[in-house]
Amino acid sequence: MHRTTAVLAGVLLLGTAACNEAAPTGPLALVASVAETRSEAAFPDIITTAVSSEGIAVGNGSTFYVGNLRPTFPSASLGAIYVGDLRTGDLAILKANDGRPTAGMKFDSRSGYLFAARGTSGWATVLNAETGETIADMRFATTSATAPSFVNDVVVTRTAAYFTDSRRAVMYRVPLGENGELVGDFEVIALTGEFVQGGAMPCLVGGLPGPLFANGIEATPNGEWLLINSLANGRLYRVDPASGDARRVDLGDGDVCLADGNLLAGRTLYVMQNLQSRIAVVELSPDYLSGTVERHITGSNPMTTMARFGHSIYAVSAGFGFLPANQPHQVVRFDMR
């Protein structure tokens, strides 16, 4: 157990909540439909940034957040976290550079906090998403050349925030109170059962930062299970959040090679396959132990993580040295339907 100072909770995005409301009937139904169409048309499909982003989160209204993963751009921006508007494409610095890379992120509407995984540093950060004030810096792992860490992604449930570490067979659990407040120390939970760290890595390609395993993470609606993918071997796991016991999800002839971010909508799981420049759409069984890759949503460049706004998926283009020369980094919108 390790001592922390603060954290975030409850991943309830405004756009997602709106989708769950009952649809209007009668004359109001047409008005709502027209308004939705006009609203979606007002949002650009591509937002160009000068940020080598690995993570993206959607906050209140049309606000979104991205971070800087790699020192591709001037050092002043390394580790900085940015806030933008999906409607206008405007982008500004929310948190200045602190020298640590920023990977996956999640926003919690209960507390107004933003969780950020801090990559190879072994740290995580919690921010006030409005002011950029640092609420907590948490050191999950001490890293070295022989014992590397990559705190990669995060999901927030009603009772805890869970972070993956792509270089270690563990996840980090930060307990949360009813309003998203920190209520205790973080735990290091071993990923056990059928989880594989190492061994055959049929999906790994050169250019990525080492053999990465546990990567994207999502939670089922009641928080009963976590869904964690594995980049290097293309596997998907259903994980017990309390014990870390992992069971492999049977995808039949399908795979999620080069899996990065996860996004769950009902029992449909969207898995970003980063260097394949596509999103695998996986329909899962009621117990989340089997699924079928039904289709792919294809992009034009490598992408990493995703966030949902209404019926749209917003994905960030990954640098990793694979983008064409002079190709700007982007936030790209895809229709979920």
Tab-separated table of all heavy atoms in Angstrom, residues 17 26 32 38 58 103 134 136 138 146 172 188 209 222 231 235 242-243 245 258 275-277 287 290 295:
chain	number	residue	atom	x	y	z
A	17	ALA	N	-24.469	10.679	-21.009
A	17	ALA	CA	-25.688	10.768	-20.223
A	17	ALA	C	-26.850	11.171	-21.106
A	17	ALA	O	-27.964	10.662	-20.982
A	17	ALA	CB	-25.506	11.773	-19.088
A	26	GLY	N	-43.879	12.359	-30.038
A	26	GLY	CA	-44.775	13.380	-30.553
A	26	GLY	C	-44.030	14.459	-31.306
A	26	GLY	O	-42.950	14.238	-31.848
A	32	ALA	N	-36.120	17.540	-31.835
A	32	ALA	CA	-34.888	17.024	-31.258
A	32	ALA	C	-33.993	16.423	-32.325
A	32	ALA	O	-32.787	16.595	-32.304
A	32	ALA	CB	-35.218	15.984	-30.188
A	38	ARG	N	-28.173	19.156	-36.754
A	38	ARG	CA	-27.488	20.431	-36.912
A	38	ARG	C	-26.301	20.516	-35.966
A	38	ARG	O	-25.244	21.015	-36.329
A	38	ARG	CB	-28.463	21.577	-36.647
A	38	ARG	CG	-29.500	21.751	-37.750
A	38	ARG	CD	-30.507	22.830	-37.380
A	38	ARG	NE	-31.475	23.005	-38.445
A	38	ARG	CZ	-32.595	23.723	-38.321
A	38	ARG	NH1	-32.876	24.298	-37.154
A	38	ARG	NH2	-33.417	23.850	-39.333
A	58	VAL	N	-13.199	13.487	-22.697
A	58	VAL	CA	-14.231	14.492	-22.920
A	58	VAL	C	-14.780	14.915	-21.570
A	58	VAL	O	-15.045	14.076	-20.704
A	58	VAL	CB	-15.348	13.952	-23.828
A	58	VAL	CG1	-16.523	14.905	-23.871
A	58	VAL	CG2	-14.815	13.710	-25.241
A	103	ALA	N	-0.207	9.997	-20.892
A	103	ALA	CA	-0.838	8.980	-21.728
A	103	ALA	C	-2.361	9.071	-21.561
A	103	ALA	O	-2.942	10.128	-21.751
A	103	ALA	CB	-0.280	7.602	-21.382
A	134	THR	N	-3.092	21.057	-9.733
A	134	THR	CA	-2.762	19.675	-9.422
A	134	THR	C	-3.372	19.295	-8.081
A	134	THR	O	-3.046	19.871	-7.051
A	134	THR	CB	-1.242	19.461	-9.381
A	134	THR	OG1	-0.698	19.743	-10.678
A	134	THR	CG2	-0.907	18.025	-9.009
A	136	ALA	N	-3.409	15.908	-7.103
A	136	ALA	CA	-2.567	14.823	-6.589
A	136	ALA	C	-1.556	14.387	-7.627
A	136	ALA	O	-1.868	14.309	-8.811
A	136	ALA	CB	-3.421	13.639	-6.171
A	138	MET	N	0.791	10.961	-7.902
A	138	MET	CA	0.934	9.659	-7.255
A	138	MET	C	2.019	8.862	-7.950
A	138	MET	O	1.945	8.659	-9.166
A	138	MET	CB	-0.392	8.893	-7.308
A	138	MET	CG	-1.515	9.577	-6.561
A	138	MET	SD	-3.134	8.866	-6.979
A	138	MET	CE	-3.398	9.573	-8.616
A	146	THR	N	16.118	-1.786	-15.975
A	146	THR	CA	15.851	-3.210	-15.773
A	146	THR	C	14.462	-3.485	-15.203
A	146	THR	O	14.010	-4.629	-15.196
A	146	THR	CB	16.893	-3.815	-14.823
A	146	THR	OG1	16.890	-3.082	-13.593
A	146	THR	CG2	18.282	-3.743	-15.457
A	172	TYR	N	-3.251	-0.514	-10.927
A	172	TYR	CA	-3.219	0.323	-9.729
A	172	TYR	C	-4.637	0.795	-9.435
A	172	TYR	O	-5.311	1.348	-10.315
A	172	TYR	CB	-2.289	1.514	-9.943
A	172	TYR	CG	-0.909	1.101	-10.413
A	172	TYR	CD1	-0.526	1.263	-11.743
A	172	TYR	CD2	0.005	0.522	-9.529
A	172	TYR	CE1	0.733	0.873	-12.181
A	172	TYR	CE2	1.262	0.125	-9.960
A	172	TYR	CZ	1.629	0.302	-11.289
A	172	TYR	OH	2.870	-0.096	-11.726
A	188	VAL	N	-1.600	-1.832	-5.350
A	188	VAL	CA	-1.036	-2.480	-6.525
A	188	VAL	C	-1.648	-3.874	-6.584
A	188	VAL	O	-1.432	-4.688	-5.683
A	188	VAL	CB	0.500	-2.569	-6.457
A	188	VAL	CG1	1.056	-3.234	-7.709
A	188	VAL	CG2	1.102	-1.177	-6.277
A	209	PRO	N	7.477	1.617	-27.883
A	209	PRO	CA	8.396	1.664	-26.728
A	209	PRO	C	8.442	0.365	-25.948
A	209	PRO	O	7.953	0.268	-24.829
A	209	PRO	CB	7.820	2.815	-25.888
A	209	PRO	CG	6.363	2.812	-26.222
A	209	PRO	CD	6.268	2.427	-27.670
A	222	ASN	N	-21.958	-1.510	-14.251
A	222	ASN	CA	-22.077	-1.558	-12.793
A	222	ASN	C	-20.739	-1.674	-12.083
A	222	ASN	O	-20.691	-1.804	-10.860
A	222	ASN	CB	-22.991	-2.719	-12.379
A	222	ASN	CG	-22.463	-4.061	-12.852
A	222	ASN	OD1	-21.362	-4.150	-13.405
A	222	ASN	ND2	-23.242	-5.110	-12.641
A	231	LEU	N	-1.673	-5.249	-25.975
A	231	LEU	CA	-1.191	-4.826	-27.283
A	231	LEU	C	-0.344	-5.884	-27.968
A	231	LEU	O	-0.551	-6.206	-29.142
A	231	LEU	CB	-0.393	-3.522	-27.140
A	231	LEU	CG	0.113	-2.849	-28.416
A	231	LEU	CD1	0.157	-1.346	-28.249
A	231	LEU	CD2	1.508	-3.365	-28.813
A	235	ARG	N	-4.765	-9.862	-27.163
A	235	ARG	CA	-5.788	-10.495	-26.340
A	235	ARG	C	-6.668	-9.466	-25.638
A	235	ARG	O	-6.287	-8.306	-25.460
A	235	ARG	CB	-5.140	-11.408	-25.296
A	235	ARG	CG	-4.413	-12.598	-25.890
A	235	ARG	CD	-3.845	-13.499	-24.814
A	235	ARG	NE	-3.194	-14.673	-25.389
A	235	ARG	CZ	-2.701	-15.676	-24.675
A	235	ARG	NH1	-2.775	-15.632	-23.345
A	235	ARG	NH2	-2.124	-16.697	-25.269
A	242	ALA	N	-11.451	-6.516	-7.937
A	242	ALA	CA	-10.996	-6.679	-6.557
A	242	ALA	C	-9.768	-7.568	-6.462
A	242	ALA	O	-8.821	-7.258	-5.726
A	242	ALA	CB	-12.123	-7.260	-5.699
A	243	SER	N	-9.747	-8.661	-7.217
A	243	SER	CA	-8.677	-9.647	-7.078
A	243	SER	C	-7.629	-9.579	-8.176
A	243	SER	O	-6.516	-10.087	-8.007
A	243	SER	CB	-9.272	-11.055	-7.057
A	243	SER	OG	-9.805	-11.390	-8.342
A	245	ASP	N	-8.006	-11.212	-10.930
A	245	ASP	CA	-8.130	-12.451	-11.690
A	245	ASP	C	-8.640	-12.139	-13.095
A	245	ASP	O	-9.689	-11.508	-13.263
A	245	ASP	CB	-9.100	-13.403	-10.994
A	245	ASP	CG	-9.286	-14.695	-11.759
A	245	ASP	OD1	-8.306	-15.446	-11.913
A	245	ASP	OD2	-10.414	-14.936	-12.232
A	258	LEU	N	-2.354	-5.194	-31.641
A	258	LEU	CA	-1.947	-3.800	-31.460
A	258	LEU	C	-3.040	-2.997	-30.764
A	258	LEU	O	-3.254	-1.815	-31.041
A	258	LEU	CB	-1.576	-3.165	-32.811
A	258	LEU	CG	-0.331	-3.772	-33.457
A	258	LEU	CD1	-0.176	-3.269	-34.883
A	258	LEU	CD2	0.915	-3.449	-32.657
A	275	LEU	N	-1.496	0.923	-34.815
A	275	LEU	CA	-0.738	1.033	-36.060
A	275	LEU	C	-1.469	0.422	-37.247
A	275	LEU	O	-1.031	0.570	-38.387
A	275	LEU	CB	0.644	0.397	-35.894
A	275	LEU	CG	1.553	1.092	-34.872
A	275	LEU	CD1	2.930	0.463	-34.855
A	275	LEU	CD2	1.658	2.584	-35.148
A	276	GLN	N	-2.601	-0.248	-36.987
A	276	GLN	CA	-3.441	-0.712	-38.082
A	276	GLN	C	-4.431	0.375	-38.521
A	276	GLN	O	-5.191	0.181	-39.467
A	276	GLN	CB	-4.196	-1.983	-37.693
A	276	GLN	CG	-3.266	-3.164	-37.425
A	276	GLN	CD	-4.022	-4.465	-37.288
A	276	GLN	OE1	-4.819	-4.837	-38.139
A	276	GLN	NE2	-3.774	-5.171	-36.195
A	277	SER	N	-4.431	1.488	-37.798
A	277	SER	CA	-5.264	2.652	-38.142
A	277	SER	C	-6.746	2.285	-38.244
A	277	SER	O	-7.456	2.711	-39.156
A	277	SER	CB	-4.792	3.277	-39.466
A	277	SER	OG	-3.430	3.601	-39.417
A	287	ASP	N	-21.975	-12.206	-20.334
A	287	ASP	CA	-21.001	-12.401	-19.256
A	287	ASP	C	-19.621	-11.843	-19.600
A	287	ASP	O	-18.677	-11.990	-18.827
A	287	ASP	CB	-20.894	-13.882	-18.879
A	287	ASP	CG	-20.380	-14.754	-20.023
A	287	ASP	OD1	-20.071	-14.210	-21.108
A	287	ASP	OD2	-20.303	-15.987	-19.828
A	290	SER	N	-16.996	-13.834	-24.043
A	290	SER	CA	-16.830	-14.138	-25.455
A	290	SER	C	-17.333	-12.946	-26.263
A	290	SER	O	-18.060	-12.092	-25.757
A	290	SER	CB	-17.575	-15.415	-25.861
A	290	SER	OG	-18.972	-15.258	-25.681
A	295	ARG	N	-16.976	-5.710	-37.160
A	295	ARG	CA	-16.546	-4.833	-38.247
A	295	ARG	C	-15.391	-3.979	-37.758
A	295	ARG	O	-14.991	-4.066	-36.597
A	295	ARG	CB	-17.702	-3.931	-38.719
A	295	ARG	CG	-18.233	-2.998	-37.633
A	295	ARG	CD	-19.518	-2.303	-38.070
A	295	ARG	NE	-20.087	-1.493	-37.001
A	295	ARG	CZ	-19.897	-0.178	-36.866
A	295	ARG	NH1	-19.138	0.486	-37.758
A	295	ARG	NH2	-20.457	0.487	-35.879
